[in-house]
Amino acid sequence: DQQVKQNSPSLSVQEGRISILNCDYTNSMFDYFLWYKKYPAEGPTFLISISSIKDKNEDGRFTVFLNKSAKHLSLHIVPSQPGDSAVYFCAASAREYGNKLVFGAGTILRVKS
Amino acid sequence: DADVTQTPRNRITKTGKRIMLECSQTKGHDRMYWYRQDPGLGLRLIYYSFDVKDINKGEISDGYSVSRQAQAKFSLSLESAIPNQTALYFCATSDMTGYTFGSGTRLTVV
């Protein structure tokens, strides 16, 4: 069973609009959540993270929201740009598990100009 | 030079062959990892090492082995490759500030 789920394999958004990528998790031990971005032929790169003691973290155009009771997090990108087109992975970790990352399946974001 | 270097970048091998994927890092981190990426499954952990003398299985270690030759080097071996090991393989290193991934090795087993 996947502990971190990204149920939307792909998302297409117009340039300038908001992109919302969703992620659900099942393990209540997770205490840190991250989003990674991956371009073709490159490794994943860190985008933004949030600790379980917070419900929102913002960094420029990127905001991550965490709803612990629903075991759900989302990444908002506003405004979306063509260069944001990539695969986005949600990941979670727990201190009890040595902070190893558990990844979701990824969502392909296409931003159309 | 990249912080995490993986070799080879691409490899095609035949079923039953032994193959080694190599990873080296210049970050000075103790922790290193091997993941594989498959469409629809994301990145799954194969093996990890928290220091030179520490090796641990991840969620999908069957058919793989690893060697931590030094703090900077962590290699992944497929003793007898099979077609369902065709995937994109990533090495990573981490410390308290986060993870750094290599650019990946695309392995095809025919």
Side-chain angles (χ1 to χ4, degrees), chain A residues 5-6 20-24 33-38 44-50 62-65 72-76 87-92 103 106-107:
Chain A
K5 299 177 184 178
Q6 294 176 255
I20 300 176
L21 293 89
N22 294 303
C23 178
D24 298 293
F33 304 90
L34 309 91
W35 285 94
Y36 282 81
K37 179 178 181 180
K38 183 186 176 306
T45 55
F46 170 76
L47 186 58
I48 192 169
S49 62
I50 188 167
F62 303 92
T63 303
V64 56
F65 296 91
H72 176 83
L73 62 154
S74 61
L75 173 68
H76 292 209
V87 180
Y88 289 78
F89 291 101
C90 173
F103 285 87
T107 296

PDB file of all heavy atoms in Angstrom, chain A residues 5-6 20-24 33-38 44-50 62-65 72-76 87-92 103 106-107:
ATOM      1  N   LYS A   5       0.146   9.347  -1.520  1.00  0.00           N
ATOM      2  CA  LYS A   5      -0.597   9.185  -2.774  1.00  0.00           C
ATOM      3  C   LYS A   5      -0.805  10.522  -3.476  1.00  0.00           C
ATOM      4  O   LYS A   5      -1.231  11.496  -2.854  1.00  0.00           O
ATOM      5  CB  LYS A   5      -1.960   8.550  -2.503  1.00  0.00           C
ATOM      6  CG  LYS A   5      -1.887   7.167  -1.884  1.00  0.00           C
ATOM      7  CD  LYS A   5      -3.260   6.629  -1.577  1.00  0.00           C
ATOM      8  CE  LYS A   5      -3.162   5.279  -0.872  1.00  0.00           C
ATOM      9  NZ  LYS A   5      -4.481   4.738  -0.506  1.00  0.00           N
ATOM     10  N   GLN A   6      -0.516  10.521  -4.750  1.00  0.00           N
ATOM     11  CA  GLN A   6      -0.849  11.647  -5.599  1.00  0.00           C
ATOM     12  C   GLN A   6      -1.792  11.096  -6.654  1.00  0.00           C
ATOM     13  O   GLN A   6      -1.372  10.376  -7.554  1.00  0.00           O
ATOM     14  CB  GLN A   6       0.407  12.249  -6.242  1.00  0.00           C
ATOM     15  CG  GLN A   6       1.344  12.884  -5.235  1.00  0.00           C
ATOM     16  CD  GLN A   6       2.621  13.392  -5.872  1.00  0.00           C
ATOM     17  OE1 GLN A   6       3.669  12.794  -5.740  1.00  0.00           O
ATOM     18  NE2 GLN A   6       2.513  14.521  -6.578  1.00  0.00           N
ATOM     19  N   ILE A  20      -2.781  23.795  -8.668  1.00  0.00           N
ATOM     20  CA  ILE A  20      -2.955  23.166  -7.354  1.00  0.00           C
ATOM     21  C   ILE A  20      -2.677  21.679  -7.491  1.00  0.00           C
ATOM     22  O   ILE A  20      -3.370  20.972  -8.223  1.00  0.00           O
ATOM     23  CB  ILE A  20      -4.377  23.391  -6.797  1.00  0.00           C
ATOM     24  CG1 ILE A  20      -4.653  24.882  -6.647  1.00  0.00           C
ATOM     25  CG2 ILE A  20      -4.525  22.680  -5.444  1.00  0.00           C
ATOM     26  CD1 ILE A  20      -6.071  25.205  -6.190  1.00  0.00           C
ATOM     27  N   LEU A  21      -1.637  21.223  -6.801  1.00  0.00           N
ATOM     28  CA  LEU A  21      -1.271  19.813  -6.822  1.00  0.00           C
ATOM     29  C   LEU A  21      -1.571  19.237  -5.440  1.00  0.00           C
ATOM     30  O   LEU A  21      -1.240  19.837  -4.420  1.00  0.00           O
ATOM     31  CB  LEU A  21       0.204  19.639  -7.156  1.00  0.00           C
ATOM     32  CG  LEU A  21       0.607  20.047  -8.579  1.00  0.00           C
ATOM     33  CD1 LEU A  21       0.995  21.511  -8.646  1.00  0.00           C
ATOM     34  CD2 LEU A  21       1.753  19.166  -9.063  1.00  0.00           C
ATOM     35  N   ASN A  22      -2.186  18.084  -5.433  1.00  0.00           N
ATOM     36  CA  ASN A  22      -2.662  17.481  -4.190  1.00  0.00           C
ATOM     37  C   ASN A  22      -1.902  16.214  -3.812  1.00  0.00           C
ATOM     38  O   ASN A  22      -1.379  15.507  -4.686  1.00  0.00           O
ATOM     39  CB  ASN A  22      -4.149  17.163  -4.294  1.00  0.00           C
ATOM     40  CG  ASN A  22      -4.997  18.404  -4.401  1.00  0.00           C
ATOM     41  OD1 ASN A  22      -4.938  19.270  -3.534  1.00  0.00           O
ATOM     42  ND2 ASN A  22      -5.783  18.504  -5.467  1.00  0.00           N
ATOM     43  N   CYS A  23      -1.895  15.939  -2.519  1.00  0.00           N
ATOM     44  CA  CYS A  23      -1.177  14.782  -1.992  1.00  0.00           C
ATOM     45  C   CYS A  23      -1.887  14.317  -0.724  1.00  0.00           C
ATOM     46  O   CYS A  23      -2.285  15.145   0.108  1.00  0.00           O
ATOM     47  CB  CYS A  23       0.265  15.192  -1.694  1.00  0.00           C
ATOM     48  SG  CYS A  23       1.307  13.908  -0.981  1.00  0.00           S
ATOM     49  N   ASP A  24      -2.067  13.028  -0.591  1.00  0.00           N
ATOM     50  CA  ASP A  24      -2.659  12.443   0.615  1.00  0.00           C
ATOM     51  C   ASP A  24      -1.682  11.439   1.220  1.00  0.00           C
ATOM     52  O   ASP A  24      -0.916  10.802   0.489  1.00  0.00           O
ATOM     53  CB  ASP A  24      -3.970  11.734   0.282  1.00  0.00           C
ATOM     54  CG  ASP A  24      -5.012  12.685  -0.263  1.00  0.00           C
ATOM     55  OD1 ASP A  24      -5.467  13.549   0.497  1.00  0.00           O
ATOM     56  OD2 ASP A  24      -5.333  12.574  -1.457  1.00  0.00           O
ATOM     57  N   PHE A  33       6.947  17.164   5.508  1.00  0.00           N
ATOM     58  CA  PHE A  33       6.442  16.937   4.155  1.00  0.00           C
ATOM     59  C   PHE A  33       7.174  17.856   3.184  1.00  0.00           C
ATOM     60  O   PHE A  33       7.466  19.021   3.503  1.00  0.00           O
ATOM     61  CB  PHE A  33       4.932  17.201   4.116  1.00  0.00           C
ATOM     62  CG  PHE A  33       4.177  16.370   5.106  1.00  0.00           C
ATOM     63  CD1 PHE A  33       3.961  16.842   6.394  1.00  0.00           C
ATOM     64  CD2 PHE A  33       3.710  15.115   4.771  1.00  0.00           C
ATOM     65  CE1 PHE A  33       3.288  16.062   7.334  1.00  0.00           C
ATOM     66  CE2 PHE A  33       3.027  14.332   5.697  1.00  0.00           C
ATOM     67  CZ  PHE A  33       2.823  14.809   6.978  1.00  0.00           C
ATOM     68  N   LEU A  34       7.447  17.323   2.009  1.00  0.00           N
ATOM     69  CA  LEU A  34       8.256  18.067   1.049  1.00  0.00           C
ATOM     70  C   LEU A  34       7.656  17.927  -0.347  1.00  0.00           C
ATOM     71  O   LEU A  34       6.968  16.944  -0.653  1.00  0.00           O
ATOM     72  CB  LEU A  34       9.688  17.516   1.010  1.00  0.00           C
ATOM     73  CG  LEU A  34      10.429  17.347   2.342  1.00  0.00           C
ATOM     74  CD1 LEU A  34      10.220  15.954   2.924  1.00  0.00           C
ATOM     75  CD2 LEU A  34      11.919  17.596   2.161  1.00  0.00           C
ATOM     76  N   TRP A  35       7.949  18.899  -1.164  1.00  0.00           N
ATOM     77  CA  TRP A  35       7.638  18.815  -2.596  1.00  0.00           C
ATOM     78  C   TRP A  35       8.951  18.922  -3.375  1.00  0.00           C
ATOM     79  O   TRP A  35       9.787  19.784  -3.092  1.00  0.00           O
ATOM     80  CB  TRP A  35       6.703  19.937  -3.030  1.00  0.00           C
ATOM     81  CG  TRP A  35       5.292  19.728  -2.593  1.00  0.00           C
ATOM     82  CD1 TRP A  35       4.702  20.205  -1.460  1.00  0.00           C
ATOM     83  CD2 TRP A  35       4.279  18.990  -3.281  1.00  0.00           C
ATOM     84  NE1 TRP A  35       3.391  19.803  -1.398  1.00  0.00           N
ATOM     85  CE2 TRP A  35       3.102  19.066  -2.510  1.00  0.00           C
ATOM     86  CE3 TRP A  35       4.244  18.277  -4.490  1.00  0.00           C
ATOM     87  CZ2 TRP A  35       1.908  18.447  -2.893  1.00  0.00           C
ATOM     88  CZ3 TRP A  35       3.065  17.671  -4.878  1.00  0.00           C
ATOM     89  CH2 TRP A  35       1.899  17.756  -4.081  1.00  0.00           C
ATOM     90  N   TYR A  36       9.094  18.011  -4.345  1.00  0.00           N
ATOM     91  CA  TYR A  36      10.239  18.017  -5.231  1.00  0.00           C
ATOM     92  C   TYR A  36       9.742  18.216  -6.656  1.00  0.00           C
ATOM     93  O   TYR A  36       8.649  17.774  -7.026  1.00  0.00           O
ATOM     94  CB  TYR A  36      11.005  16.685  -5.147  1.00  0.00           C
ATOM     95  CG  TYR A  36      11.892  16.563  -3.939  1.00  0.00           C
ATOM     96  CD1 TYR A  36      11.355  16.195  -2.710  1.00  0.00           C
ATOM     97  CD2 TYR A  36      13.249  16.828  -4.023  1.00  0.00           C
ATOM     98  CE1 TYR A  36      12.165  16.098  -1.591  1.00  0.00           C
ATOM     99  CE2 TYR A  36      14.066  16.726  -2.908  1.00  0.00           C
ATOM    100  CZ  TYR A  36      13.524  16.369  -1.703  1.00  0.00           C
ATOM    101  OH  TYR A  36      14.325  16.277  -0.599  1.00  0.00           O
ATOM    102  N   LYS A  37      10.588  18.837  -7.446  1.00  0.00           N
ATOM    103  CA  LYS A  37      10.300  19.106  -8.845  1.00  0.00           C
ATOM    104  C   LYS A  37      11.334  18.363  -9.674  1.00  0.00           C
ATOM    105  O   LYS A  37      12.517  18.324  -9.317  1.00  0.00           O
ATOM    106  CB  LYS A  37      10.425  20.618  -9.056  1.00  0.00           C
ATOM    107  CG  LYS A  37      10.186  21.140 -10.436  1.00  0.00           C
ATOM    108  CD  LYS A  37      10.330  22.670 -10.370  1.00  0.00           C
ATOM    109  CE  LYS A  37      10.084  23.325 -11.679  1.00  0.00           C
ATOM    110  NZ  LYS A  37      10.227  24.800 -11.576  1.00  0.00           N
ATOM    111  N   LYS A  38      10.880  17.766 -10.782  1.00  0.00           N
ATOM    112  CA  LYS A  38      11.816  17.012 -11.599  1.00  0.00           C
ATOM    113  C   LYS A  38      11.608  17.335 -13.069  1.00  0.00           C
ATOM    114  O   LYS A  38      10.513  17.160 -13.610  1.00  0.00           O
ATOM    115  CB  LYS A  38      11.643  15.506 -11.367  1.00  0.00           C
ATOM    116  CG  LYS A  38      12.658  14.683 -12.139  1.00  0.00           C
ATOM    117  CD  LYS A  38      12.384  13.214 -12.012  1.00  0.00           C
ATOM    118  CE  LYS A  38      13.363  12.413 -12.883  1.00  0.00           C
ATOM    119  NZ  LYS A  38      13.370  12.840 -14.284  1.00  0.00           N
ATOM    120  N   PRO A  44      15.442  14.789  -9.038  1.00  0.00           N
ATOM    121  CA  PRO A  44      14.493  15.653  -8.326  1.00  0.00           C
ATOM    122  C   PRO A  44      15.243  16.744  -7.569  1.00  0.00           C
ATOM    123  O   PRO A  44      16.326  16.514  -7.031  1.00  0.00           O
ATOM    124  CB  PRO A  44      13.807  14.694  -7.352  1.00  0.00           C
ATOM    125  CG  PRO A  44      14.026  13.331  -7.911  1.00  0.00           C
ATOM    126  CD  PRO A  44      15.354  13.391  -8.596  1.00  0.00           C
ATOM    127  N   THR A  45      14.663  17.933  -7.548  1.00  0.00           N
ATOM    128  CA  THR A  45      15.238  19.029  -6.761  1.00  0.00           C
ATOM    129  C   THR A  45      14.198  19.527  -5.768  1.00  0.00           C
ATOM    130  O   THR A  45      13.003  19.593  -6.073  1.00  0.00           O
ATOM    131  CB  THR A  45      15.701  20.196  -7.649  1.00  0.00           C
ATOM    132  OG1 THR A  45      14.617  20.622  -8.465  1.00  0.00           O
ATOM    133  CG2 THR A  45      16.851  19.789  -8.533  1.00  0.00           C
ATOM    134  N   PHE A  46      14.670  19.894  -4.605  1.00  0.00           N
ATOM    135  CA  PHE A  46      13.796  20.345  -3.525  1.00  0.00           C
ATOM    136  C   PHE A  46      13.095  21.649  -3.906  1.00  0.00           C
ATOM    137  O   PHE A  46      13.714  22.570  -4.461  1.00  0.00           O
ATOM    138  CB  PHE A  46      14.612  20.534  -2.259  1.00  0.00           C
ATOM    139  CG  PHE A  46      13.864  21.212  -1.146  1.00  0.00           C
ATOM    140  CD1 PHE A  46      12.916  20.511  -0.421  1.00  0.00           C
ATOM    141  CD2 PHE A  46      14.085  22.548  -0.852  1.00  0.00           C
ATOM    142  CE1 PHE A  46      12.220  21.124   0.606  1.00  0.00           C
ATOM    143  CE2 PHE A  46      13.396  23.167   0.170  1.00  0.00           C
ATOM    144  CZ  PHE A  46      12.450  22.458   0.893  1.00  0.00           C
ATOM    145  N   LEU A  47      11.812  21.725  -3.576  1.00  0.00           N
ATOM    146  CA  LEU A  47      11.039  22.918  -3.895  1.00  0.00           C
ATOM    147  C   LEU A  47      10.601  23.651  -2.624  1.00  0.00           C
ATOM    148  O   LEU A  47      10.926  24.810  -2.410  1.00  0.00           O
ATOM    149  CB  LEU A  47       9.814  22.538  -4.718  1.00  0.00           C
ATOM    150  CG  LEU A  47       8.949  23.644  -5.284  1.00  0.00           C
ATOM    151  CD1 LEU A  47       9.748  24.570  -6.180  1.00  0.00           C
ATOM    152  CD2 LEU A  47       7.771  23.050  -6.052  1.00  0.00           C
ATOM    153  N   ILE A  48       9.877  22.969  -1.768  1.00  0.00           N
ATOM    154  CA  ILE A  48       9.351  23.593  -0.561  1.00  0.00           C
ATOM    155  C   ILE A  48       8.966  22.490   0.407  1.00  0.00           C
ATOM    156  O   ILE A  48       8.695  21.358   0.001  1.00  0.00           O
ATOM    157  CB  ILE A  48       8.139  24.497  -0.901  1.00  0.00           C
ATOM    158  CG1 ILE A  48       7.749  25.382   0.285  1.00  0.00           C
ATOM    159  CG2 ILE A  48       6.953  23.669  -1.386  1.00  0.00           C
ATOM    160  CD1 ILE A  48       6.737  26.478  -0.085  1.00  0.00           C
ATOM    161  N   SER A  49       8.946  22.821   1.698  1.00  0.00           N
ATOM    162  CA  SER A  49       8.604  21.818   2.701  1.00  0.00           C
ATOM    163  C   SER A  49       7.731  22.437   3.788  1.00  0.00           C
ATOM    164  O   SER A  49       7.569  23.663   3.856  1.00  0.00           O
ATOM    165  CB  SER A  49       9.867  21.241   3.335  1.00  0.00           C
ATOM    166  OG  SER A  49      10.588  22.260   4.013  1.00  0.00           O
ATOM    167  N   ILE A  50       7.186  21.565   4.623  1.00  0.00           N
ATOM    168  CA  ILE A  50       6.385  22.027   5.747  1.00  0.00           C
ATOM    169  C   ILE A  50       6.477  21.021   6.877  1.00  0.00           C
ATOM    170  O   ILE A  50       6.455  19.798   6.640  1.00  0.00           O
ATOM    171  CB  ILE A  50       4.920  22.269   5.325  1.00  0.00           C
ATOM    172  CG1 ILE A  50       4.137  22.934   6.460  1.00  0.00           C
ATOM    173  CG2 ILE A  50       4.240  20.973   4.892  1.00  0.00           C
ATOM    174  CD1 ILE A  50       2.789  23.491   6.019  1.00  0.00           C
ATOM    175  N   PHE A  62       5.230  29.840  -4.525  1.00  0.00           N
ATOM    176  CA  PHE A  62       4.875  28.493  -4.061  1.00  0.00           C
ATOM    177  C   PHE A  62       4.397  28.518  -2.613  1.00  0.00           C
ATOM    178  O   PHE A  62       5.039  29.111  -1.743  1.00  0.00           O
ATOM    179  CB  PHE A  62       6.090  27.557  -4.181  1.00  0.00           C
ATOM    180  CG  PHE A  62       6.651  27.480  -5.571  1.00  0.00           C
ATOM    181  CD1 PHE A  62       7.664  28.335  -5.978  1.00  0.00           C
ATOM    182  CD2 PHE A  62       6.152  26.563  -6.470  1.00  0.00           C
ATOM    183  CE1 PHE A  62       8.177  28.274  -7.260  1.00  0.00           C
ATOM    184  CE2 PHE A  62       6.653  26.487  -7.764  1.00  0.00           C
ATOM    185  CZ  PHE A  62       7.671  27.345  -8.160  1.00  0.00           C
ATOM    186  N   THR A  63       3.250  27.884  -2.381  1.00  0.00           N
ATOM    187  CA  THR A  63       2.714  27.761  -1.033  1.00  0.00           C
ATOM    188  C   THR A  63       2.280  26.325  -0.816  1.00  0.00           C
ATOM    189  O   THR A  63       1.625  25.734  -1.686  1.00  0.00           O
ATOM    190  CB  THR A  63       1.495  28.690  -0.830  1.00  0.00           C
ATOM    191  OG1 THR A  63       1.881  30.042  -1.108  1.00  0.00           O
ATOM    192  CG2 THR A  63       0.987  28.604   0.606  1.00  0.00           C
ATOM    193  N   VAL A  64       2.657  25.782   0.327  1.00  0.00           N
ATOM    194  CA  VAL A  64       2.198  24.443   0.678  1.00  0.00           C
ATOM    195  C   VAL A  64       1.262  24.564   1.876  1.00  0.00           C
ATOM    196  O   VAL A  64       1.541  25.290   2.830  1.00  0.00           O
ATOM    197  CB  VAL A  64       3.380  23.480   0.967  1.00  0.00           C
ATOM    198  CG1 VAL A  64       4.301  24.011   2.042  1.00  0.00           C
ATOM    199  CG2 VAL A  64       2.879  22.092   1.298  1.00  0.00           C
ATOM    200  N   PHE A  65       0.139  23.862   1.784  1.00  0.00           N
ATOM    201  CA  PHE A  65      -0.857  23.817   2.840  1.00  0.00           C
ATOM    202  C   PHE A  65      -0.930  22.400   3.387  1.00  0.00           C
ATOM    203  O   PHE A  65      -0.922  21.443   2.614  1.00  0.00           O
ATOM    204  CB  PHE A  65      -2.245  24.216   2.313  1.00  0.00           C
ATOM    205  CG  PHE A  65      -2.326  25.635   1.818  1.00  0.00           C
ATOM    206  CD1 PHE A  65      -2.081  25.940   0.484  1.00  0.00           C
ATOM    207  CD2 PHE A  65      -2.650  26.666   2.688  1.00  0.00           C
ATOM    208  CE1 PHE A  65      -2.160  27.245   0.018  1.00  0.00           C
ATOM    209  CE2 PHE A  65      -2.738  27.980   2.235  1.00  0.00           C
ATOM    210  CZ  PHE A  65      -2.492  28.267   0.901  1.00  0.00           C
ATOM    211  N   HIS A  72      -3.783  15.485   4.421  1.00  0.00           N
ATOM    212  CA  HIS A  72      -3.773  16.010   3.056  1.00  0.00           C
ATOM    213  C   HIS A  72      -2.885  17.242   2.988  1.00  0.00           C
ATOM    214  O   HIS A  72      -2.899  18.081   3.890  1.00  0.00           O
ATOM    215  CB  HIS A  72      -5.205  16.391   2.641  1.00  0.00           C
ATOM    216  CG  HIS A  72      -5.297  17.021   1.294  1.00  0.00           C
ATOM    217  ND1 HIS A  72      -5.330  16.284   0.134  1.00  0.00           N
ATOM    218  CD2 HIS A  72      -5.341  18.333   0.918  1.00  0.00           C
ATOM    219  CE1 HIS A  72      -5.400  17.099  -0.899  1.00  0.00           C
ATOM    220  NE2 HIS A  72      -5.408  18.351  -0.449  1.00  0.00           N
ATOM    221  N   LEU A  73      -2.109  17.329   1.919  1.00  0.00           N
ATOM    222  CA  LEU A  73      -1.373  18.556   1.664  1.00  0.00           C
ATOM    223  C   LEU A  73      -1.518  18.933   0.199  1.00  0.00           C
ATOM    224  O   LEU A  73      -1.838  18.092  -0.652  1.00  0.00           O
ATOM    225  CB  LEU A  73       0.099  18.466   2.077  1.00  0.00           C
ATOM    226  CG  LEU A  73       1.036  17.480   1.426  1.00  0.00           C
ATOM    227  CD1 LEU A  73       2.469  18.013   1.511  1.00  0.00           C
ATOM    228  CD2 LEU A  73       0.988  16.141   2.147  1.00  0.00           C
ATOM    229  N   SER A  74      -1.321  20.222  -0.049  1.00  0.00           N
ATOM    230  CA  SER A  74      -1.431  20.701  -1.417  1.00  0.00           C
ATOM    231  C   SER A  74      -0.343  21.734  -1.673  1.00  0.00           C
ATOM    232  O   SER A  74       0.114  22.422  -0.759  1.00  0.00           O
ATOM    233  CB  SER A  74      -2.821  21.291  -1.682  1.00  0.00           C
ATOM    234  OG  SER A  74      -3.075  22.384  -0.831  1.00  0.00           O
ATOM    235  N   LEU A  75       0.041  21.809  -2.929  1.00  0.00           N
ATOM    236  CA  LEU A  75       1.023  22.791  -3.393  1.00  0.00           C
ATOM    237  C   LEU A  75       0.310  23.735  -4.348  1.00  0.00           C
ATOM    238  O   LEU A  75      -0.311  23.284  -5.305  1.00  0.00           O
ATOM    239  CB  LEU A  75       2.174  22.095  -4.113  1.00  0.00           C
ATOM    240  CG  LEU A  75       3.190  23.003  -4.802  1.00  0.00           C
ATOM    241  CD1 LEU A  75       3.995  23.786  -3.758  1.00  0.00           C
ATOM    242  CD2 LEU A  75       4.133  22.195  -5.693  1.00  0.00           C
ATOM    243  N   HIS A  76       0.374  25.031  -4.047  1.00  0.00           N
ATOM    244  CA  HIS A  76      -0.215  26.037  -4.906  1.00  0.00           C
ATOM    245  C   HIS A  76       0.900  26.823  -5.584  1.00  0.00           C
ATOM    246  O   HIS A  76       1.852  27.271  -4.908  1.00  0.00           O
ATOM    247  CB  HIS A  76      -1.083  27.007  -4.090  1.00  0.00           C
ATOM    248  CG  HIS A  76      -2.311  26.370  -3.531  1.00  0.00           C
ATOM    249  ND1 HIS A  76      -3.478  27.081  -3.298  1.00  0.00           N
ATOM    250  CD2 HIS A  76      -2.581  25.098  -3.162  1.00  0.00           C
ATOM    251  CE1 HIS A  76      -4.392  26.276  -2.803  1.00  0.00           C
ATOM    252  NE2 HIS A  76      -3.878  25.067  -2.709  1.00  0.00           N
ATOM    253  N   VAL A  87       7.567  17.304 -13.491  1.00  0.00           N
ATOM    254  CA  VAL A  87       6.903  16.334 -12.624  1.00  0.00           C
ATOM    255  C   VAL A  87       7.108  16.783 -11.184  1.00  0.00           C
ATOM    256  O   VAL A  87       8.230  17.133 -10.791  1.00  0.00           O
ATOM    257  CB  VAL A  87       7.469  14.916 -12.805  1.00  0.00           C
ATOM    258  CG1 VAL A  87       6.748  13.932 -11.884  1.00  0.00           C
ATOM    259  CG2 VAL A  87       7.359  14.466 -14.251  1.00  0.00           C
ATOM    260  N   TYR A  88       6.039  16.791 -10.411  1.00  0.00           N
ATOM    261  CA  TYR A  88       6.101  17.197  -9.013  1.00  0.00           C
ATOM    262  C   TYR A  88       5.834  15.986  -8.118  1.00  0.00           C
ATOM    263  O   TYR A  88       4.818  15.320  -8.257  1.00  0.00           O
ATOM    264  CB  TYR A  88       5.078  18.297  -8.724  1.00  0.00           C
ATOM    265  CG  TYR A  88       5.477  19.608  -9.357  1.00  0.00           C
ATOM    266  CD1 TYR A  88       5.274  19.826 -10.718  1.00  0.00           C
ATOM    267  CD2 TYR A  88       6.079  20.614  -8.609  1.00  0.00           C
ATOM    268  CE1 TYR A  88       5.667  21.018 -11.313  1.00  0.00           C
ATOM    269  CE2 TYR A  88       6.468  21.811  -9.186  1.00  0.00           C
ATOM    270  CZ  TYR A  88       6.260  21.996 -10.543  1.00  0.00           C
ATOM    271  OH  TYR A  88       6.649  23.178 -11.131  1.00  0.00           O
ATOM    272  N   PHE A  89       6.786  15.731  -7.222  1.00  0.00           N
ATOM    273  CA  PHE A  89       6.652  14.629  -6.279  1.00  0.00           C
ATOM    274  C   PHE A  89       6.385  15.174  -4.891  1.00  0.00           C
ATOM    275  O   PHE A  89       7.103  16.062  -4.415  1.00  0.00           O
ATOM    276  CB  PHE A  89       7.923  13.789  -6.243  1.00  0.00           C
ATOM    277  CG  PHE A  89       8.189  12.996  -7.491  1.00  0.00           C
ATOM    278  CD1 PHE A  89       9.106  13.427  -8.425  1.00  0.00           C
ATOM    279  CD2 PHE A  89       7.509  11.804  -7.718  1.00  0.00           C
ATOM    280  CE1 PHE A  89       9.354  12.686  -9.580  1.00  0.00           C
ATOM    281  CE2 PHE A  89       7.746  11.067  -8.864  1.00  0.00           C
ATOM    282  CZ  PHE A  89       8.667  11.514  -9.801  1.00  0.00           C
ATOM    283  N   CYS A  90       5.409  14.619  -4.238  1.00  0.00           N
ATOM    284  CA  CYS A  90       5.163  14.841  -2.827  1.00  0.00           C
ATOM    285  C   CYS A  90       5.963  13.789  -2.061  1.00  0.00           C
ATOM    286  O   CYS A  90       6.072  12.634  -2.506  1.00  0.00           O
ATOM    287  CB  CYS A  90       3.661  14.675  -2.573  1.00  0.00           C
ATOM    288  SG  CYS A  90       3.156  14.715  -0.871  1.00  0.00           S
ATOM    289  N   ALA A  91       6.538  14.162  -0.929  1.00  0.00           N
ATOM    290  CA  ALA A  91       7.300  13.209  -0.125  1.00  0.00           C
ATOM    291  C   ALA A  91       7.037  13.482   1.349  1.00  0.00           C
ATOM    292  O   ALA A  91       6.696  14.608   1.735  1.00  0.00           O
ATOM    293  CB  ALA A  91       8.793  13.305  -0.420  1.00  0.00           C
ATOM    294  N   ALA A  92       7.182  12.458   2.155  1.00  0.00           N
ATOM    295  CA  ALA A  92       6.963  12.584   3.594  1.00  0.00           C
ATOM    296  C   ALA A  92       8.054  11.828   4.338  1.00  0.00           C
ATOM    297  O   ALA A  92       8.634  10.872   3.805  1.00  0.00           O
ATOM    298  CB  ALA A  92       5.591  12.032   3.962  1.00  0.00           C
ATOM    299  N   PHE A 103       7.954   8.678  -1.166  1.00  0.00           N
ATOM    300  CA  PHE A 103       7.472   9.506  -2.252  1.00  0.00           C
ATOM    301  C   PHE A 103       6.110   9.062  -2.760  1.00  0.00           C
ATOM    302  O   PHE A 103       5.764   7.881  -2.731  1.00  0.00           O
ATOM    303  CB  PHE A 103       8.445   9.447  -3.436  1.00  0.00           C
ATOM    304  CG  PHE A 103       9.705  10.222  -3.241  1.00  0.00           C
ATOM    305  CD1 PHE A 103      10.792   9.650  -2.615  1.00  0.00           C
ATOM    306  CD2 PHE A 103       9.805  11.528  -3.684  1.00  0.00           C
ATOM    307  CE1 PHE A 103      11.962  10.361  -2.425  1.00  0.00           C
ATOM    308  CE2 PHE A 103      10.981  12.250  -3.510  1.00  0.00           C
ATOM    309  CZ  PHE A 103      12.059  11.666  -2.883  1.00  0.00           C
ATOM    310  N   GLY A 106       3.868  11.048  -8.188  1.00  0.00           N
ATOM    311  CA  GLY A 106       4.191  12.202  -9.015  1.00  0.00           C
ATOM    312  C   GLY A 106       2.999  12.696  -9.828  1.00  0.00           C
ATOM    313  O   GLY A 106       2.099  11.927 -10.169  1.00  0.00           O
ATOM    314  N   THR A 107       3.002  13.994 -10.110  1.00  0.00           N
ATOM    315  CA  THR A 107       2.004  14.623 -10.977  1.00  0.00           C
ATOM    316  C   THR A 107       2.744  15.410 -12.035  1.00  0.00           C
ATOM    317  O   THR A 107       3.616  16.229 -11.711  1.00  0.00           O
ATOM    318  CB  THR A 107       1.082  15.574 -10.182  1.00  0.00           C
ATOM    319  OG1 THR A 107       0.335  14.833  -9.222  1.00  0.00           O
ATOM    320  CG2 THR A 107       0.122  16.303 -11.126  1.00  0.00           C
TER     321      THR A 107
END
